[in-house]
Amino acid sequence: MKTLDLIRDLLRHMEWADAIVWQAVLGSANATTDDVTKTRVHHIHMVQRAFLNVWQETPHSVNAGSDLDLVGLAMWGREYHGLLREYVGTLTEADLNKPTVLPWAKFLTKKLGRDPDAASFGETMVQVSVHSTYHRGQINARLRELGSEPPLTDFIAWIWIGKPSAEWPSATD
């Protein structure tokens, strides 16, 4: 398997998993009124967009999406995934090795005790997927705390069920 194929699968899985988490969030009366849940789903999509903006060399605001309600955030997330699919379709294996400077990396210097090493473009694409997975886990834990059954979002489960496309909640149409 080529690296780009794996990254495309990770990003397709990310959309599928985001969509089923959104189904669970919007299907839970407790989650739809929960500020913690809203903050977490906003963070996922804000960071996803921040990386896409870096890759496309376009400006990004750390407040992007903060004025949206929960349904608006779900629609914003769905829109992002369409933009990402279009963008990823233009990439080649050679693109993955380009050094990619993340504007916020310098903020980690103090925490790391040194300047961060450069990341490759491909590594930043993997980061978006794993970062989103981490925060979907937090949302799923929150759904359980709020009395809902969280969806299964594991990458391997997605493979086992045939790598289906995302099914976004009808509220995002």
Side-chain angles (χ1 to χ4, degrees), residues 120-132:
S120 73
F121 181 77
E123 289 166 334
T124 66
M125 297 194 94
V126 171
Q127 172 59 22
V128 169
S129 173
V130 298
H131 180 266
S132 297

Side-chain angles (χ1 to χ4, degrees), residues 9-171:
D9 270 356
L10 287 170
L11 298 177
R12 283 186 54 231
H13 166 263
M14 180 176 73
E15 180 180 11
W16 171 82
D18 282 357
I20 62 172
V21 166
W22 270 113
Q23 289 176 23
V25 167
L26 294 176
S28 165
N30 290 336
T32 59
T33 59
D34 181 54
D35 288 337
V36 172
T37 302
K38 182 181 179 189
T39 298
R40 289 178 181 164
V41 293
H42 170 256
H43 178 76
I44 287 174
H45 296 310
M46 189 273 303
V47 169
Q48 289 170 342
R49 283 183 179 261
F51 274 89
L52 183 59
N53 289 331
V54 167
W55 302 331
Q56 294 180 322
E57 299 178 4
T58 57
H60 180 75
S61 167
V62 294
N63 296 318
S66 62
D67 59 337
L68 298 171
D69 65 10
L70 202 61
V71 171
L73 282 172
M75 293 169 61
W76 194 54
R78 183 178 187 172
E79 176 191 61
Y80 160 80
H81 283 289
L83 296 170
L84 180 65
R85 275 191 312 276
E86 185 178 312
Y87 178 70
V88 170
T90 68
L91 300 177
T92 67
E93 281 288 325
D95 292 326
L96 300 178
N97 295 317
K98 299 185 303 190
T100 302
V101 176
L102 300 173
W104 54 86
K106 63 182 176 263
F107 297 113
L108 292 176
T109 299
K110 185 175 181 180
K111 188 172 196 143
L112 297 174
R114 65 184 191 83
D115 288 336
D117 287 345
S120 73
F121 181 77
E123 289 166 334
T124 66
M125 297 194 94
V126 171
Q127 172 59 22
V128 169
S129 173
V130 298
H131 180 266
S132 297
T133 297
Y134 173 79
H135 289 296
R136 274 193 308 273
Q138 290 179 321
I139 294 166
N140 277 349
R142 184 66 177 167
L143 284 167
R144 190 175 304 283
E145 290 169 2
L146 295 171
S148 295
E149 184 64 27
L152 177 63
T153 60
D154 286 4
F155 180 73
I156 196 70
W158 176 73
I159 292 168
W160 289 339
I161 61 173
K163 299 181 182 180
S165 297
E167 291 185 29
W168 287 90
S170 59

